Amino acid sequence: MDYELAIEGGPASIPGGTAVLLLHPSTAETDRIDTDFLKTDTDRFLVISTRTTAREVAQKLNYYDVDESRADVLDALSVDRGYSRRGSEHIRYVSSPDDVDGIIAVAEDFLNDTEGKRRVSFDSITELAYYADEERALDALDRLAALLSEHDAVGLFHVSAEVHDPDVIERFREHAGLVVELDDDGSVTVSDA
């Protein structure tokens, strides 16, 4: 199954199973790329957030006119910040921001329990590396990429380029089928991994 991409400079579509790596400066505005990715040619989507809370994710979706009725959110951050966590049918939490197994389990449940064209946005792998370490973040990306392939879904994985050493960035690239690089000025370059 192919998915429309809706990212400037990229191919018109990508095959199911593709992991897209979004490399960006720490200060870059990634919301536009993220929300365009989520709202195009999609039946259901999962936002895995290690950077913002579920409430902030909902605000972003609303601001960019993304259909929240198609959304599931995994909030990995609220527990760390001490916020109350009221789960619902479409909002899940993990025990801590470094709970890689919990994150993978929620993603697998989402992919098993939904049908049609599914997308996953992971914002961000860099934040996961901050809480867990780079090896566990790489493991999470590897496991999630395998789940996308198994379920014919696609994913967008946020990585802050200047935070990681070049060899680590290369290891992230190895798990991706496509790389989107966002510059400080907002320009976008798309290339094969």
Side-chain angles (χ1 to χ4, degrees):
M1 172 174 11
D2 285 348
Y3 290 76
E4 288 180 45
L5 185 57
I7 294 177
E8 65 181 85
S13 65
I14 55 175
T18 301
V20 179
L21 193 65
L22 175 58
L23 288 174
H24 60 85
S26 294
T27 57
E29 180 53 61
T30 60
D31 288 353
R32 176 181 45 86
I33 290 174
D34 195 39
T35 54
D36 283 350
F37 177 82
L38 292 172
K39 69 182 175 183
T40 304
D41 194 24
T42 305
D43 295 308
R44 298 284 313 168
F45 63 86
L46 171 65
V47 176
I48 300 171
S49 185
T50 56
R51 190 178 63 83
T52 58
T53 65
R55 184 178 59 79
E56 291 167 310
V57 170
Q59 289 171 341
K60 175 175 81 172
L61 297 177
N62 185 45
Y63 180 81
Y64 285 94
D65 198 29
V66 180
D67 183 358
E68 287 184 65
S69 70
R70 297 179 181 179
D72 284 71
V73 178
L74 170 56
D75 177 342
L77 190 61
S78 285
V79 65
D80 189 62
R81 292 191 177 168
Y83 298 150
S84 64
R85 301 180 315 272
R86 281 180 245 111
S88 71
E89 184 179 351
H90 298 292
I91 298 176
R92 302 274 304 272
Y93 298 90
V94 289
S95 61
S96 63
D98 66 347
D99 183 2
V100 171
D101 290 338
I103 290 169
I104 301 301
V106 170
E108 187 168 19
D109 287 347
F110 167 78
L111 292 167
N112 284 331
D113 296 343
T114 56
E115 296 179 347
K117 292 190 171 184
R118 281 92 39 88
R119 294 178 187 248
V120 175
S121 170
F122 198 123
D123 186 7
S124 89
I125 292 291
T126 296
E127 290 293 325
L128 179 61
Y130 170 78
Y131 288 105
D133 70 39
E134 287 177 336
E135 288 303 317
R136 292 178 63 208
L138 281 157
D139 176 57
L141 179 53
D142 181 49
R143 292 164 68 186
L144 286 165
L147 283 172
L148 294 175
S149 182
E150 178 184 338
H151 292 275
D152 204 24
V154 293
L156 182 69
F157 299 88
H158 298 235
V159 172
S160 181
E162 74 267 16
V163 172
H164 305 283
D165 290 336
D167 63 313
V168 174
I169 295 293
E170 283 308 308
R171 291 177 68 195
F172 285 133
R173 283 178 177 270
E174 290 171 10
H175 297 288
L178 194 71
V179 177
V180 175
E181 295 185 61
L182 178 63
D183 292 330
D184 284 315
D185 63 4
S187 61
V188 175
T189 306
V190 181
S191 60
D192 292 332

